[in-house]
Amino acid sequence: MEYKDYYKLLGVSRTATKDEIGKAFKKLARKYHPDLNPNDAAAEGRFKEINEAYEVLKDEKKRKLYDQFGSDWEHGQNFQPPPGYENVNFEGAGFSDFFETIFGGGGGSFRGGFQQGGFSQGFGGSGFHSRPRRGSDSEAVYELTLEEAYQGGTKSITLQEQVAGPDGIPRMTTKTLEVKVPAGVKDGQKIRLAGQGNPGLSGGTRGDLYLRIRLMPHHLYKVKDNDIVLDLPLAPWEAVLGATVRIPTLDGPVEMKIPPGIGSGKKLRIKGRGLGSGARRGDQYVRIMIQSPDRLSGDERRLWEELKEASSFTPRNF
């Protein structure tokens, strides 16, 4: 467990007077109070540290125990509680494991007085208790095949998260969640899992977990926004004469009529076979790719030569 130098946290010497400690705390509390830094998680952690340091150093008994035990800890020696340890009483909770190891239970309140930005506390009053704060949201990447994204449904995902163990030391654990994937979900879209984010502070609720969808590459289809594109190889005679071709889609194969005389690069549409949902459902486009044979038998070459002589077609007009 890491040693905490309370004097260093408050920026005072080990011989500092109670008045000097109080002034140092007031200055840092104004700077790091959570209500003045609502969007800075690091500030809240810093505030808790200086609150803990002040709770110890402002109290004569606590400071004496800390100076005796903390010095041993800092230099690698074992802890031997000094006489009177069991008679020291500390209220509240929420301080560090280091604090609890020394004092046998968490600390409680800071006492001070300042008013700024809509909050105030009275030094010497009833004290400050951290208000419950909602945990921050977290995000994870969730990979799906194109078929899974198109069909949707309930799927399982296993994640790792850091939690506090029984001894208070953070450790990694795994959890499995059931995820309802909406049909037609797109790449980059986020799925929100309420209450599965980072833990809250002081009894606050957990944040949310957002799963950012990443579509895995597909061997047949390319994705363009809500639409998907399939390259369809055609033989020259199929392109010239027309054909009926069985086309794969994410919802099963369909028969498509290829019109005669179609050119390479032209696109044919199959409506409603893309991603998205409702009125925003995309389409599947079939892009024609005319393929020429790279090997010819003697008879095939003779027929192509005859076609060349008989045809008046020219692909160029320049």
Side-chain angles (χ1 to χ4, degrees), residues 55-274:
E55 179 68 25
V56 173
L57 299 184
K58 72 181 178 66
D59 184 277
E60 184 178 348
K61 289 184 178 180
K62 296 177 188 177
R63 186 174 179 180
K64 182 178 180 181
L65 287 175
Y66 171 73
D67 287 342
Q68 290 177 327
F69 174 35
S71 177
D72 290 344
W73 188 316
E74 186 179 16
H75 295 93
Q77 301 178 28
N78 293 326
F79 170 43
Q80 296 294 330
Y85 165 84
E86 65 278 3
N87 296 322
V88 180
N89 180 40
F90 308 109
E91 300 176 352
F95 285 164
S96 69
D97 293 339
F98 174 80
F99 183 101
E100 294 182 4
T101 301
I102 301 178
F103 302 117
S109 58
F110 84 77
R111 307 184 188 278
F114 58 94
Q115 181 170 347
Q116 184 174 350
F119 75 93
S120 64
Q121 299 293 334
F123 289 98
S126 60
F128 169 81
H129 297 275
S130 297
R131 57 185 174 84
R133 293 175 66 87
R134 178 182 179 275
S136 60
D137 295 333
S138 57
E139 183 174 309
V141 174
Y142 189 26
E143 289 191 333
L144 293 175
T145 66
L146 200 50
E147 288 82 359
E148 289 173 330
Y150 182 83
Q151 297 292 344
T154 301
K155 304 188 180 299
S156 296
I157 181 173
T158 300
L159 301 170
Q160 282 195 324
E161 67 174 355
Q162 182 173 287
V163 299
D167 54 2
I169 298 176
R171 61 185 178 87
M172 298 302 295
T173 186
T174 58
K175 65 179 179 180
T176 300
L177 303 174
E178 296 296 311
V179 182
K180 291 184 178 179
V181 178
V185 66
K186 299 190 300 179
D187 190 72
Q189 188 172 333
K190 294 181 180 180
I191 300 175
R192 173 175 169 264
L193 301 181
Q196 296 296 338
N198 294 314
L201 299 175
S202 302
T205 59
R206 296 180 69 107
D208 298 332
L209 170 63
Y210 287 87
L211 298 179
R212 180 164 51 85
I213 299 301
R214 177 184 293 166
L215 297 182
M216 300 170 64
H218 199 279
H219 69 289
L220 287 179
Y221 306 106
K222 297 179 178 64
V223 179
K224 186 176 182 180
D225 196 20
N226 285 13
D227 300 326
I228 62 172
V229 180
L230 170 73
D231 287 343
L232 177 65
L234 286 182
W237 50 89
E238 290 178 315
V240 172
L241 303 175
T244 298
V245 181
R246 191 174 178 85
I247 305 293
T249 78
L250 292 172
D251 203 28
V254 298
E255 298 289 327
M256 171 176 276
K257 290 186 177 181
I258 308 299
I262 195 167
S264 190
K266 294 292 183 65
K267 291 181 180 179
L268 302 175
R269 184 178 70 148
I270 304 176
K271 188 176 181 180
R273 296 297 178 97

